[in-house]
Amino acid sequence: MTDVKEKGPEVTLTLPADTGNGLKTQEMIINMGPQHPSTHGVLRMELTLNGEIVTKAIPHIGYLHRCFEKHSEAMNDYAKVIPYVDRMDYVAAMNNELGYAIAMERLMDIRVNDRVEYIRVIMAELQRVASHLLAIGTFGLDIGAFTPFLYCFIEREKILDIFEKASGARLLYNYIWIGGLMNDVPADFKSDTAAFVKSFRPKIKELNDLLSMNRIFIDRTANIGVLPEKVAINYGVSGPSLRGSGVKWDLRRDDPYSIYDRFEFDVIVGKGEMGTLGDCWDRYIVRVWEMEESLKIIEQALDSMPDDGDVQEAIPKKIRPPAGEIYCRTETPRGELGYYIISDKSTSPYRIKARAPSFVNLSVLPAISIGAMVADMVAIIGSIDIVLGEVDR
Amino acid sequence: MKTTEELHRLLSAQFGDETCELKPDEKVEPWIVVKPEVIRDVAKFLRDEDGLRFDCLMCLSGVHYQKENELGVTYHLFSTSEKHKLALKVIMPEDNAQLPSVEQIWKTADWYEREAFDMFGIRFDGHPDPRRILCPDDWEGHPLRKDYQVQEFYRGMKVEY
Amino acid sequence: MQQFLESFLPAGPLVVFVFSIIPLMIILVYALFAIWLERKVAGHMQDRLGPMRTGWHGWAQTIADLLKMIQKEDIVPAKADRFLFKLAPFIAFAASYGAFVAIPLSSGYIGSMIDVGVFYIVAITSLLSVSIIMAGWASNNKWSLLGAMRTAAQTVSYEVPTVVTILSVIIVTGTLNLMEVTEMQTGNAFLGFLPSWLIFHSPFMVIAFGLFFIATLAEAHRVPFDLPESESELVGGYQTEYSGMRWGLFMLTEYADMLLLSLVGVTLFFGGWNSPFGSFMEGPLWGAFWMLLKGMILVFVMMWLRWTLPRLRVDQLMNLCWKYLIPLSFVNLVLIALWEMIF
């Protein structure tokens, strides 16, 4: 691999110091956020503008820093960390729990039974659909399309109902535990989920008709915020943002965890259909089609899910992992979520570090936003799909 | 696809035995400890050498080893083409926690090194923008150190409540 | 109308007063209704109900909001230009209210029978952009300023296709007085049953209406051209720093503007106060009914678009105007003129 020097498109924007009629022009520095409708939380962007064209963008983060790592060290119980990981990526809490549970199980060498694995996978994929729905909806909202946002929310609501029946919570579940689950799924879980999958399929087409193929939407997102493949890898971008750049890379397939190797599904990559490969539209459409793939996984899992098995049989009474360290990564809707856990044989982690996908994905923003307009900035931030809870932890 | 042992053999051949040391861990994954001075060269070697091609820095984490009075940085590397992983560690004394930045090798390190500086006070030489990232710029102390004492007041506001 | 008022009111200033606040009353009642309608339209398009708690299907929601807005603190940013900041919403509303003078609301009511009605409307509505630039500048906020700059560019550009399409109608009618324009469209002459509205006059008039409608969407800052206040990019554009009733006035202006431009469109293309059924349901009161109904239908289309489409980017907006709308409207103007010469 050659040295990556690309820093986004080369722009030479020189401002005339004097327009000739005595009027002076100068660049304007503007704060986008932390209170801004389209920064998906409390991100602050320091933009240097030439007119409406961004010549420099510096993200400032940390407004939502809740000391996840420090708290976890002081928690004195590995199990108590789970509600905290929920709150990192609060729109994909199941996936966060799953990642943490798997990391801990590998560290402690715990095997869970098949029923637990299947329920986990179904939950994680449902959560992925829910999270992508939110990402797609808010992306549309950033572009100015309000209605698809609510259409997405209607569908997301159905998923949250399924979660609520199982865990009692709608956003932060504390459902997947180390070595098992909080409790077994309700009796009608299978039929509920199957009904959702059936009703959701046609909605994807509806969404494409309403938003994805809308001419204005395409004009606003194609060729904007182009993230070339090499830059993406060098910046460590992962998840749909990386696949949008055409890299066929999905941890579920390439570094399987849990029981993902048992399912048939495609890894969706961007193809540059509407513009350049790796533009905002590609990142967006990857999420749309990924929902379809998740539905496939859910269907297969529902078919082969065993009906018996105690979901709590492998939960350890006292969680005291052997001394050692582990880096374990899973694929969340936003990308590679890694947990680096150091255990010193006590009941609390010596060090726990979450490699949050949003954090890494966001760091590529300055490189791909040079030369964009303010309105494109909004599109780029939306297409990277960050959750500030995860960026700041 | 190379194991950590093979990678260690390659690294010692290139940089000498004394700079990198294999730490086997029966439980989970072994790692290689590298001297801070050479980390950038090692990184560049790992990224560019044929058959290694670690093009992706998955994670960079600071660690505070309080008992040993040491600070560490752990690099988790991964190669998308060769599909192997590697954990590298750099251990430094607490009072002189300084090492070359690998920001030029992997851009991911940009924000992670800032985070490690913010949380542990590890200084990365050659980092283009060595500011705090999560805490405010005028925060005192480095929160993830085990001996961290939270400051009493921040700009006139009481911190502990 | 004036004579009618004089018949039971003491003559003099009172008559003039009552006469002149009729459009204001219509605007206020319309705004209450339209804001409620917008919410209902949005709600039903998005598979929800919209306001349901305040009265039957939430009919009093706008009144409740109005009460809330009146009670809100009137905040002026510390470093704002206080005078301009406070003045701007009034000028904005005055501009769109002033334009109603030349609109024939029914066969019995027109504020002023000025001969340059259309010209007057075009002129006075451009005051709106002045007020928005004023608001954006006086707020001393960079987002407001960006919004104001966008407004300036947008209004100046889109006035060209608006005026040119209006001009192509004027070629057909030969008068700038909107009352006379409407009177020309009385009757059901086309093909024996179609009303004699100008839209049916020639195929190019349909194109002219399309261009006019797109341009008015931009003039009224409605989606997909709502860039001056695009809430997801510029926070609130020129409205960012406004709160309470001053913000309410901008809101009112936006809705008044929608009605105004719709009514201009109705008058120029859809027969104004003329009934679509010839002499059936005719008369001054029915005239007002038809006028407002047709206007509301266009307003509804604007709402429909708002809840369906994303927003254009500022350069695409300009492209659309200068590269497509303006050339098309000029070509259309020539074609309509040729049609007039031949037939």
Side-chain angles (χ1 to χ4, degrees):
Chain A
M1 197 174 134
T2 50
D3 267 2
V4 177
K5 288 207 183 85
E6 290 164 84
K7 271 234 169 195
E10 207 52 53
V11 262
T12 43
L13 293 165
T14 42
L15 280 168
D18 197 323
T19 48
N21 46 12
L23 292 172
K24 284 205 174 121
T25 57
Q26 66 181 67
E27 288 189 329
M28 175 161 83
I29 294 177
I30 191 164
N31 268 319
M32 189 168 167
Q35 289 92 13
H36 186 283
S38 297
T39 50
H40 293 238
V42 283
L43 169 68
R44 178 160 76 94
M45 300 285 302
E46 196 182 311
L47 303 180
T48 308
L49 297 184
N50 173 1
E52 274 209 37
I53 296 171
V54 177
T55 53
K56 197 175 169 195
I58 308 170
H60 292 269
I61 61 171
Y63 291 88
L64 204 58
H65 182 50
R66 288 150 304 169
C67 322
F68 159 71
E69 289 160 15
K70 190 79 181 167
H71 268 302
S72 305
E73 287 171 18
M75 203 60 75
N76 211 19
D77 191 344
Y78 281 94
K80 284 186 191 166
V81 174
I82 292 174
Y84 269 89
V85 301
D86 272 347
R87 279 151 183 81
M88 284 203 314
D89 183 352
Y90 41 75
V91 299
M94 283 287 184
N95 300 82
N96 285 16
E97 289 166 12
L98 181 63
Y100 179 70
I102 289 177
M104 285 309 295
E105 282 157 17
R106 280 200 195 156
L107 190 62
M108 298 173 71
D109 208 10
I110 298 173
R111 296 274 139 117
V112 295
N113 61 34
D114 262 11
R115 185 170 167 81
V116 173
E117 294 278 26
Y118 275 98
I119 293 173
R120 281 179 176 184
V121 165
I122 294 171
M123 288 298 186
E125 291 309 310
L126 280 174
Q127 181 75 85
R128 190 183 312 275
V129 174
S131 169
H132 280 350
L133 278 172
L134 190 92
I136 290 163
T138 48
F139 185 46
L141 198 62
D142 292 342
I143 305 296
F146 202 101
T147 301
F149 171 68
L150 282 145
Y151 282 10
C152 290
F153 256 61
I154 294 168
E155 299 307 314
R156 182 169 176 264
E157 207 65 4
K158 294 176 189 161
I159 301 176
L160 297 192
D161 285 342
I162 297 174
F163 287 162
E164 192 181 9
K165 267 191 186 172
S167 71
R170 295 173 65 80
L171 192 68
L172 307 162
Y173 314 101
N174 188 14
Y175 184 68
I176 298 174
W177 283 3
I178 300 164
L181 300 171
M182 178 169 97
N183 49 34
D184 206 337
V185 286
D188 51 1
F189 174 75
K190 263 186 169 177
S191 56
D192 279 357
T193 314
F196 166 75
V197 171
K198 196 163 175 292
S199 73
F200 183 62
R201 275 243 163 76
K203 302 283 178 189
I204 297 179
K205 193 190 167 296
E206 195 180 295
L207 180 74
N208 280 338
D209 290 344
L210 182 62
L211 189 63
S212 320
M213 298 301 161
N214 182 305
R215 190 66 242 170
I216 298 177
F217 181 76
I218 293 171
D219 280 349
R220 282 292 308 276
T221 52
N223 294 321
I224 302 299
V226 176
L227 175 61
E229 179 189 332
K230 286 203 169 135
V231 179
I233 293 176
N234 195 258
Y235 269 91
V237 175
S238 52
S241 304
L242 177 67
R243 292 193 282 276
S245 300
V247 185
K248 215 173 173 78
W249 182 254
D250 189 323
L251 292 176
R252 289 175 294 171
R253 188 202 61 167
D254 294 301
D255 192 4
Y257 52 93
S258 189
I259 50 164
Y260 275 104
D261 44 0
R262 297 185 200 175
F263 303 112
E264 283 284 319
F265 65 98
D266 289 336
V267 177
I268 306 289
V269 290
K271 297 187 189 77
E273 281 161 82
M274 295 298 164
T276 322
L277 180 65
D279 57 13
C280 289
W281 195 84
D282 276 348
R283 287 195 282 274
Y284 161 86
I285 206 72
V286 163
R287 293 199 177 89
V288 174
W289 295 123
E290 246 174 45
M291 294 198 295
E292 177 90 39
E293 297 307 315
S294 289
L295 293 186
K296 277 189 205 163
I297 298 178
I298 294 169
E299 273 177 340
Q300 292 169 38
L302 282 175
D303 283 345
S304 44
M305 183 173 135
D307 284 322
D308 51 336
D310 180 7
V311 295
Q312 299 205 315
E313 77 184 0
I315 294 181
K317 289 247 156 31
K318 187 85 192 158
I319 301 174
R320 195 188 278 272
E325 53 187 72
I326 187 166
Y327 177 80
C328 173
R329 54 185 187 162
T330 54
E331 180 88 15
T332 75
R334 262 148 272 282
E336 175 185 330
L337 171 73
Y339 287 100
Y340 176 46
I341 301 170
I342 302 180
S343 154
D344 60 350
K345 231 175 156 187
S346 69
T347 54
S348 61
Y350 183 76
R351 167 91 169 100
I352 180 163
K353 153 115 189 168
R355 184 253 195 233
S358 295
F359 181 85
V360 183
N361 291 358
L362 182 63
S363 70
V364 81
L365 192 65
I368 61 173
S369 56
I370 310 295
M373 303 187 87
V374 177
D376 296 335
M377 239 8 249
V378 169
I380 296 171
I381 295 175
S383 74
I384 295 178
D385 182 27
I386 46 166
V387 168
L388 262 295
E390 194 180 53
V391 173
D392 295 341
R393 280 157 290 144
Chain B
M1 196 72 184
K2 287 190 171 56
T3 60
T4 308
E5 287 77 18
E6 287 165 347
L7 290 166
H8 175 248
R9 239 171 286 129
L10 279 171
L11 278 180
S12 354
Q14 183 75 18
F15 296 98
D17 272 336
E18 67 281 1
T19 50
C20 37
E21 180 183 355
L22 182 70
K23 293 272 180 168
D25 183 343
E26 286 116 45
K27 230 38 231 161
V28 239
E29 300 145 359
W31 64 83
I32 299 175
V33 177
V34 180
K35 287 265 186 304
E37 311 84 74
V38 294
I39 181 65
R40 191 184 285 161
D41 302 326
V42 170
K44 197 157 170 42
F45 174 74
L46 286 172
R47 189 193 69 175
D48 291 338
E49 191 70 12
D50 274 329
L52 300 176
R53 296 279 175 214
F54 284 100
D55 49 5
C56 186
L57 173 66
M58 293 191 287
C59 187
L60 186 156
S61 352
V63 187
H64 185 203
Y65 301 100
Q66 196 181 14
K67 260 183 259 151
E68 296 89 0
N69 285 330
E70 280 170 343
L71 283 166
V73 177
T74 313
Y75 302 81
H76 286 97
L77 305 178
F78 181 70
S79 162
T80 50
S81 51
E82 309 286 328
K83 309 216 186 291
H84 45 211
K85 293 182 203 170
L86 175 65
L88 275 187
K89 269 190 189 184
V90 176
I91 308 282
M92 297 151 291
E94 217 175 60
D95 46 5
N96 183 26
Q98 206 161 0
L99 77 166
S101 162
V102 294
E103 190 265 348
Q104 294 85 346
I105 318 282
W106 299 289
K107 286 284 176 192
T108 324
D110 183 353
W111 281 23
Y112 273 132
E113 285 179 355
R114 279 176 67 188
E115 192 188 340
F117 164 70
D118 190 357
M119 293 298 162
F120 294 93
I122 300 166
R123 284 187 309 284
F124 292 88
D125 294 333
H127 191 282
D129 186 21
R131 283 180 299 134
R132 281 176 181 270
I133 187 162
L134 293 173
C135 293
D137 283 346
D138 50 355
W139 194 258
E140 286 165 28
H142 299 283
L144 278 183
R145 287 201 184 193
K146 295 281 176 188
D147 53 0
Y148 171 69
Q149 288 292 320
V150 82
Q151 68 202 67
E152 200 179 345
F153 287 97
Y154 172 68
R155 296 197 178 189
M157 291 174 280
K158 204 158 181 351
V159 177
E160 289 269 15
Y161 58 90
Chain C
M1 185 74 189
Q2 209 151 4
Q3 289 83 13
F4 171 68
L5 285 172
E6 275 164 4
S7 65
F8 63 92
L9 283 173
L14 193 60
V15 171
V16 177
F17 179 70
V18 172
F19 186 75
S20 56
I21 63 164
I22 288 173
L24 182 65
M25 290 299 125
I26 291 176
I27 293 173
L28 291 178
V29 174
Y30 148 81
L32 289 181
F33 175 69
I35 293 173
W36 173 82
L37 183 72
E38 176 110 307
R39 288 177 163 163
K40 283 311 218 188
V41 169
H44 286 280
M45 285 186 71
Q46 293 162 352
D47 213 350
R48 55 191 176 90
L49 291 169
M52 287 299 280
R53 301 295 171 96
T54 39
W56 181 82
H57 280 261
W59 67 272
Q61 187 62 47
T62 327
I63 298 171
D65 283 350
L66 194 71
L67 284 176
K68 180 198 74 176
M69 264 193 293
I70 290 171
Q71 288 170 31
K72 273 195 169 179
E73 190 189 349
D74 177 26
I75 301 169
V76 182
K79 294 208 172 152
D81 186 327
R82 293 183 74 86
F83 178 67
L84 290 183
F85 185 83
K86 290 186 165 180
L87 189 62
F90 294 105
I91 291 190
F93 184 65
S96 64
Y97 175 42
F100 275 87
V101 164
I103 304 253
L105 288 174
S106 90
S107 52
Y109 184 89
I110 182 167
S112 164
M113 279 289 267
I114 40 174
D115 284 336
V116 288
V118 179
F119 180 71
Y120 166 78
I121 290 174
V122 170
I124 198 145
T125 45
S126 51
L127 258 185
L128 190 69
S129 51
V130 175
S131 76
I132 290 178
I133 294 169
M134 209 178 197
W137 177 260
S139 299
N140 197 8
N141 177 320
K142 288 169 180 172
W143 295 111
S144 303
L145 188 64
L146 277 177
M149 290 302 143
R150 283 180 175 192
T151 317
Q154 183 173 339
T155 326
V156 168
S157 312
Y158 275 85
E159 248 164 36
V160 182
T162 318
V163 171
V164 173
T165 44
I166 290 177
L167 210 59
S168 48
V169 179
I170 301 306
I171 288 178
V172 179
T173 60
T175 170
L176 287 168
N177 186 331
L178 283 173
M179 196 60 146
E180 284 170 22
V181 170
T182 317
E183 278 161 4
M184 282 178 69
Q185 304 180 56
T186 313
N188 283 30
F190 286 121
L191 306 173
F193 66 98
L194 278 180
S196 330
W197 298 349
L198 284 170
I199 186 119
F200 302 120
H201 185 266
S202 73
F204 303 117
M205 286 307 262
V206 181
I207 301 172
F209 174 70
L211 294 172
F212 175 82
F213 189 70
I214 294 172
T216 49
L217 274 180
E219 290 260 303
H221 312 311
R222 293 292 291 185
V223 170
F225 310 113
D226 66 332
L227 291 106
E229 66 239 55
S230 51
E231 75 285 341
S232 63
E233 292 157 24
L234 299 187
V235 188
Y238 63 92
Q239 301 172 344
T240 307
E241 295 289 354
Y242 281 89
S243 61
M245 212 45 224
R246 278 177 216 285
W247 178 81
L249 267 177
F250 273 123
M251 189 80 168
L252 184 64
T253 311
E254 189 192 321
Y255 280 87
D257 230 39
M258 280 162 71
L259 182 66
L260 173 76
L261 292 163
S262 300
L263 289 184
V264 172
V266 166
T267 316
L268 291 178
F269 295 97
F270 293 102
W273 40 257
N274 281 306
S275 157
F277 312 112
S279 53
F280 178 60
M281 294 169 87
E282 227 184 11
L285 277 178
W286 279 118
F289 167 76
W290 287 121
M291 183 74 175
L292 291 174
L293 181 71
K294 291 172 190 173
M296 285 312 291
I297 291 173
L298 284 190
V299 168
F300 170 75
V301 175
M302 287 185 176
M303 291 175 180
W304 179 10
L305 288 176
R306 171 167 179 188
W307 299 109
T308 311
L309 293 176
R311 181 186 305 118
L312 284 172
R313 205 172 52 209
V314 64
D315 57 324
Q316 293 164 347
L317 180 88
M318 292 296 147
N319 269 350
L320 179 70
C321 182
W322 292 100
K323 289 190 183 160
Y324 300 98
L325 290 185
I326 291 179
L328 261 177
S329 57
F330 272 105
V331 169
N332 205 39
L333 175 75
V334 173
L335 290 174
I336 285 176
L338 284 175
W339 182 281
E340 274 302 293
M341 273 171 67
I342 296 163
F343 297 99

